[in-house]
Amino acid sequence: MTEPDQLRLLAVHAHPDDESSKGAATMAKYVAEGVRVLVATCTGGERGSVLNPAMDRPEVWERMAEIRAAEMDRAREILGVEQEFLGFVDSGLPEGDPLPPLPEGCFALVPLEEAAAPLVELIRRFKPQVMTTYDERGGYPHPDHIKTHEISMYAFEAAADPDRYPDLGEPWQVSKVYYQMGFTLPRTKALHEAVLANGGESPYTEWLATWDPANDISHRVTTRVPCAEYFPVRDAALIAHATQIDPTGRWFSVPLDLQTQTWPTEDYELVRSVVDAPTPEDDLFAGVRTSERVS
Ligand SMILES: [Zn+2]
């Protein structure tokens, strides 16, 4: 499955559509450069709501799992990536006070060692040099996103250890692990101000009003990948997730040229590295490209 000089990127995500809203332009850019990119989707998104009014119909709700798999196929084709489901069941986003218990058998409730096993197998089979995942807060407080973070960090260690999961393939050491840092306060503010300066209506007014600066994690960003050329590909992939994305909604209300001028990168935090990769950097593969390797 792997060639010696081939660069490989593994992006771990919780639900179908997360790959298109977090780091999608980065993936499209690396695909265009000849990198193999594989999206691992932990759950089928079975408990997602229908967030697009045009798709809010009983026949859609009844076939949610099937429809979301078909949407994922389309997004995968648009992004040019490979994609595999890890086979867990969506935990849903619990709402209410007190929060209701999580549904039995859902991803968030699977014990860590068992939940990480399919990802360990995938890492050993695909042999990525670089892996992306979410930060310790999930980037967004959905139990599946937090669980995605947990299994990613666990599998990163375990995949390299010959004593763990000995039946799941030969050990593989991922060289670099990143957290997605797409939704930072400075980026949101910059886009907000750019829209207002252009006489438009900002989709971020409400967000910014309730955003506690103490929750901003932008100081952790180590890596900015220039990828504005691929923002249209990102948007097309997002629209493919028709149940989840309203094409007339907030995602698409900031004109692309304004986004390109204001914030032309997707941003990451480098959290693990076994190669020499000084930060700040602008390439997820800095330090792992064969020509730069010290033998
Ligand atoms: Zn999600």
Side-chain angles (χ1 to χ4, degrees), residues 14-15 17-18 145:
H15 309 107
D17 80 0
D18 285 320
H145 284 235

Side-chain angles (χ1 to χ4, degrees), residues 221-242:
V221 169
T222 57
T223 310
R224 298 185 193 277
V225 179
C227 54
E229 204 185 319
Y230 298 93
F231 287 173
V233 181
R234 172 203 64 193
D235 285 359
L238 266 171
I239 288 170
H241 291 284

Side-chain angles (χ1 to χ4, degrees), residues 7-251:
L7 295 179
R8 290 172 300 272
L9 169 64
L10 173 63
V12 189
H13 286 287
H15 309 107
D17 80 0
D18 285 320
E19 82 297 328
S20 297
S21 60
K22 301 162 193 60
T26 304
M27 294 197 292
K29 171 196 163 101
Y30 282 118
V31 167
E33 289 178 7
V35 174
R36 274 186 72 187
V37 179
L38 173 62
V39 170
T41 313
C42 295
T43 78
E46 302 86 350
R47 289 199 173 89
S49 309
V50 175
L51 302 173
N52 176 2
M55 294 292 286
D56 193 358
R57 306 189 299 265
E59 64 272 26
V60 170
W61 282 94
E62 278 161 26
R63 296 171 47 232
M64 187 63 102
E66 188 189 328
I67 289 173
R68 292 201 71 177
E71 291 173 350
M72 184 65 244
D73 274 347
R74 183 80 195 105
R76 172 179 55 71
E77 281 169 19
I78 291 167
L79 293 171
V81 300
E82 302 165 55
Q83 187 266 344
E84 291 190 25
F85 284 103
L86 297 185
F88 296 101
V89 178
D90 191 342
S91 307
L93 183 59
E95 283 171 306
D97 186 17
L99 289 175
L102 291 170
E104 203 179 320
C106 71
F107 179 45
L109 293 180
V110 178
L112 189 53
E113 195 175 343
E114 185 186 335
L119 187 57
V120 170
E121 188 278 328
L122 189 61
I123 289 171
R124 289 178 176 174
R125 174 160 47 92
F126 184 64
K127 302 180 174 24
Q129 294 93 348
V130 174
M131 178 165 93
T132 66
T133 186
Y134 310 143
D135 66 66
E136 67 288 347
R137 292 184 299 187
Y140 147 74
H142 188 300
D144 289 333
H145 284 235
I146 293 164
K147 190 75 168 196
T148 298
H149 160 78
E150 290 170 356
I151 68 160
S152 299
M153 302 318 285
Y154 191 88
F156 162 74
E157 301 279 346
D161 184 343
D163 295 331
R164 293 163 82 183
Y165 302 94
D167 301 335
L168 296 184
E170 295 292 313
W172 178 258
Q173 177 68 63
V174 175
S175 301
K176 298 171 92 178
V177 180
Y178 290 92
Y179 293 159
Q180 303 273 359
M181 291 274 150
F183 300 93
T184 60
L185 187 54
R187 175 179 177 272
T188 306
K189 260 189 189 159
L191 289 172
H192 173 79
E193 279 156 19
V195 173
L196 296 183
N198 272 266
E201 202 177 317
S202 169
Y204 301 119
T205 306
E206 214 176 303
W207 265 16
L208 287 171
T210 55
W211 201 321
D212 178 356
N215 285 332
D216 179 45
I217 48 173
S218 59
H219 58 277
R220 289 166 47 175
V221 169
T222 57
T223 310
R224 298 185 193 277
V225 179
C227 54
E229 204 185 319
Y230 298 93
F231 287 173
V233 181
R234 172 203 64 193
D235 285 359
L238 266 171
I239 288 170
H241 291 284
T243 58
Q244 303 303 304
I245 300 289
D246 179 356
T248 65
R250 181 167 65 195
W251 281 106

